[in-house]
Amino acid sequence: MGEKSAAQTSFNRWHWTDQDNGQLAAKFKAALWDSLKDLLVPNAAGLIPPEELGEQVQDLDNAATHLDECAANCHVAAKALRNLWGIDGGEKAVVADVANRLAGSVGKPVILARTTIEELRGCVLNLAQVDGANAIIQHENDYWGTPADRLVVLPTAAEEEALAAKKPAAEEPAKPSPRVAEFLERLEAGLQPPILIYSGNTPDMVRLDICGERGGELVSLKTLPPELKKRLAEARRHTSELVLATKPRLENDFYFRLGKGELSNVLQFLTMMNRTGVLDTDYHQGDEKGHGCVYVTGTRVFHVEYGNFDGVRALAEMLTLDEIEATFRDGVTATFQTIKSSTDQLLIEAAIQADELMSQRRRGE
């Protein structure tokens, strides 16, 4: 068989599947019964404030009216299509009392599903009255009679407003934090304390930290206006390249990939940022492996371990390594202290020991 032409498939098909029927019917019936079962017990009304009972009865009547309108619209549409296209409904054809269903819809906007009066075709009308199987509709200042089973009830203005209110509002692009703009302006003007800007594994995201202030700023490049993007690109030329990437959890944890001696720069960064946590380090080169950890508390290094060493010697050993990976986990504290000196003094001592260790190894080779 050939493919259907566009003309054969262009109409907007409305579906009502067995699944739709089952889900809606079950949800509606179960919810309604769950609400009513306690109210229908004799003497239950005496336990509930009269105003709440009155509101419940009004809600039920309102629901019935709206459901009647929906049911009436379905019957009208089905009958109109059968008549227009000569469809035999057979035994399944429903003879519906549409007029009775529309008794509560007087005053609402309607449209005629079919009419021979050109003036009324496609016009929004007002349902003025329902009388038996017939209805009176108003068009401007004129009134017309029509069988009620030709009327399709339209949403009222209030219903359309309620529907619009439920739709999620279009998201406006998030504006960059004023703090981010301020950081970049200060950086550009050369008036800032040290700032570090680095990329993470999350596409189109960068994180900006200012040394000496706790808490960085995550920045989505997509949300930045062109001028700020340009500023950011320029700023990154003048900032530390220590942090090459971050773990997917960007908020507090850092991931570093470091060359020989760069661990000192990381410790300066963490202590200048007044961070408290542990820096876990891993070294892999050929068959050689090593693991260490450096605990920082505020502006000081608190404890260091590497292999069988701790304290200054452990840090010195790590400074001799060619390339290490390190992850900083925020908020983790050490159970004991091996470093008593200031950060600057520690780094000087460790650097001297690292030079001595490398000299000894070269002589040994």
Side-chain angles (χ1 to χ4, degrees):
M1 290 178 64
E3 294 183 359
K4 291 183 179 180
S5 67
Q8 290 176 293
T9 59
S10 60
F11 75 97
N12 186 17
R13 173 73 187 276
W14 188 83
H15 291 277
W16 181 255
T17 65
D18 289 341
Q19 185 178 15
D20 294 325
N21 180 64
Q23 288 179 344
L24 181 63
K27 183 177 180 180
F28 176 81
K29 292 172 184 175
L32 183 61
W33 174 243
D34 189 55
S35 173
L36 293 182
K37 61 185 178 182
D38 294 331
L39 297 178
L40 298 177
V41 177
N43 302 319
L47 304 176
I48 302 171
E51 60 274 14
E52 289 192 24
L53 279 175
E55 290 174 0
Q56 178 66 92
V57 170
Q58 188 61 54
D59 284 344
L60 291 168
D61 282 336
N62 289 341
T65 298
H66 286 88
L67 291 169
D68 272 340
E69 289 173 355
C70 294
N73 282 356
C74 289
H75 289 308
V76 170
K79 185 174 182 179
L81 290 174
R82 279 199 298 268
N83 291 338
L84 180 62
W85 297 99
I87 299 171
D88 182 10
E91 295 179 358
K92 292 184 179 181
V94 177
V95 180
D97 186 0
V98 171
N100 190 50
R101 291 184 181 277
L102 296 183
S105 303
V106 173
K108 293 190 175 182
V110 294
I111 195 168
L112 285 165
R114 55 195 176 97
T115 180
T116 57
I117 303 173
E118 194 64 33
E119 184 182 348
L120 301 180
R121 195 186 306 277
C123 292
V124 177
L125 312 163
N126 179 62
L127 179 57
Q129 184 180 336
V130 176
D131 185 10
N134 298 311
I136 304 296
I137 53 176
Q138 180 185 3
H139 176 51
E140 297 179 350
N141 295 323
D142 297 327
Y143 291 86
W144 302 77
T146 179
D149 61 5
R150 295 187 181 186
L151 297 177
V152 175
V153 183
L154 300 177
T156 64
E159 289 167 348
E160 288 183 337
E161 287 178 9
L163 179 63
K166 283 195 172 183
K167 291 181 179 177
E171 291 187 9
E172 295 183 5
K175 294 182 179 179
S177 161
R179 190 177 177 215
V180 171
E182 180 189 350
F183 284 171
L184 297 179
E185 287 169 2
R186 288 163 65 186
L187 182 68
E188 201 173 41
L191 302 174
Q192 77 299 324
I195 292 176
L196 297 99
I197 302 173
Y198 51 93
S199 299
N201 293 337
T202 303
D204 300 319
M205 292 291 293
V206 294
R207 175 170 166 161
L208 183 152
D209 278 284
I210 179 167
C211 295
E213 294 183 18
R214 185 169 178 79
E217 292 275 348
L218 288 179
V219 182
S220 170
L221 296 179
K222 293 179 180 178
T223 65
L224 291 177
E227 184 58 32
L228 268 182
K229 282 185 182 178
K230 182 179 177 182
R231 250 188 232 159
L232 181 61
E234 180 63 27
R236 294 178 75 181
R237 297 180 188 177
H238 307 293
T239 58
S240 171
E241 293 298 329
L242 279 177
V243 186
L244 302 182
T246 58
K247 292 291 186 182
R249 179 175 173 265
L250 288 166
E251 290 85 352
N252 295 305
D253 294 354
F254 303 129
Y255 168 70
F256 305 87
R257 187 173 297 137
L258 306 170
K260 184 177 291 185
E262 288 186 336
L263 182 59
S264 294
N265 297 333
V266 172
L267 295 180
Q268 286 180 320
F269 160 64
L270 293 173
T271 53
M272 288 178 69
M273 291 288 292
N274 199 24
R275 305 302 288 251
T276 294
V278 61
L279 184 71
D280 289 316
T281 63
D282 287 291
Y283 171 72
H284 299 278
Q285 185 167 324
D287 295 331
E288 293 185 53
K289 296 181 180 179
H291 174 76
C293 59
V294 183
Y295 289 86
V296 296
T297 303
T299 60
R300 301 174 72 94
V301 177
F302 194 80
H303 171 63
V304 186
E305 292 180 15
Y306 181 76
N308 296 322
F309 304 102
D310 61 21
V312 179
R313 174 62 187 272
L315 182 57
E317 290 285 343
M318 286 190 277
L319 290 177
T320 67
L321 302 176
D322 291 329
E323 184 175 302
I324 61 177
E325 293 184 0
T327 302
F328 179 75
R329 292 184 289 130
D330 196 64
V332 182
T333 57
T335 55
F336 54 90
Q337 184 176 8
T338 56
I339 303 295
K340 305 291 185 180
S341 57
S342 68
T343 301
D344 289 341
Q345 185 179 349
L346 166 67
L347 294 178
I348 292 171
E349 292 177 7
I352 293 172
Q353 285 196 28
D355 287 341
E356 293 174 352
L357 289 170
M358 287 188 287
S359 294
Q360 291 172 8
R361 290 166 188 170
R362 281 194 294 268
R363 287 195 297 271
E365 292 173 358

